[in-house]
Amino acid sequence: MHRRALIALTALFLGATTLGSWAQDTVRIAVTAGPHAQIAEVAKKVAERDGLKLQIVEFQDYIQPNAALDAGDVQANSYQHLPFLQSQIQARGYQISPVGYTVTFPMGFYSKKVKSLADLPRGAKVGIQNDPSNSGRALALLQKYGAIKLKPTAGISATIADVIENPKGLQIVQVEAAQLPRSLDDLDAAAINTNYAVQAQLVPTRDAIAIEDAKSPYANLLAVRTADKDKPWVAKLVKAFQSPEVKKLVESSFSGSLVPAF
């Protein structure tokens, strides 16, 4: 009886050890459909070489991936930039931390009338988005290229009221983001998000007269639960998403609509 009990306990222990090892080496990662899912598929193959198994879970919205991560239904996600993550943490109290950058969907200014923001005439009409997160982003880009100057305290939530210098007297017009490509005929220049630029047959890295850096505050990132951020598998995950294979995919498959941020 003692021998049988020992064998049974040994089998139970080995089974538990195997299960524990499997759980530790398999990471469920939430992504949104499209480029993030495509990138994750390449990263999955790279991660396997380091003994890390990825299970990709696709979502169709921007809210659920963080909710699922905070709840422990997934162990990581890849789909958002830092300002969005910070707003979600502030609003919902999530215990989530960024651990590495992936790609940037660069916002750019486009024009049918000038070749650079420096060429804008005095009093030019410049379109930016009418929603707070994107309008602040567009204003920051105008400042980067010297077209305006913002209050030092404005940050990523800058509004038109934060403009303290406007040397050319630009008329900054706020328009619904999806309408900006259609408004180019009526404006001297307009800030356009990458998804809407691509729909309008515009290539950010080719057609924009001003464009965000790859490592702008709006670079997309990998996130994990704060309690997990120093675990060994996180380093393997970051390594896979920042691998030469992922970089090659981004540079060859998306026609300049996104760029590596690592």
Side-chain angles (χ1 to χ4, degrees), residues 93 174 185 189 257:
Q174 291 192 279
D185 288 332
S257 61

Side-chain angles (χ1 to χ4, degrees), residues 138-247:
L139 290 169
L141 190 54
L142 281 176
Q143 177 172 252
K144 175 191 169 185
Y145 280 82
I148 62 170
K149 187 175 180 179
L150 299 167
K151 293 177 183 176
T153 56
I156 61 174
S157 301
T159 68
I160 292 176
D162 293 311
V163 177
I164 56 175
E165 291 183 21
N166 186 355
K168 289 189 175 182
L170 302 178
Q171 300 179 55
I172 301 176
V173 183
Q174 291 192 279
V175 180
E176 200 278 318
Q179 299 302 318
L180 282 164
R182 303 185 187 95
S183 302
L184 279 177
D185 288 332
D186 303 316
L187 298 167
D188 293 288
I192 302 177
N193 295 80
T194 293
N195 55 323
Y196 296 124
V198 171
Q199 290 174 15
Q201 307 301 310
L202 296 168
V203 177
T205 55
R206 182 193 69 198
D207 300 320
I209 63 171
I211 193 169
E212 289 176 331
D213 293 332
K215 296 183 179 179
S216 80
Y218 298 93
N220 283 230
L221 51 83
L222 286 163
V224 301
R225 286 175 292 175
T226 301
D228 291 339
K229 66 184 180 67
D230 295 320
K231 292 183 177 178
W233 63 262
V234 175
K236 293 181 180 181
L237 181 69
V238 174
K239 180 181 176 183
F241 271 82
Q242 295 182 348
S243 64
E245 290 88 341
V246 167
K247 185 175 183 180

Side-chain angles (χ1 to χ4, degrees), residues 118-138:
D119 295 334
L120 287 171
R122 180 167 295 277
K125 290 185 178 180
V126 177
I128 67 171
Q129 298 84 346
N130 65 357
D131 59 283
S133 62
N134 281 310
S135 61
R137 188 175 177 180

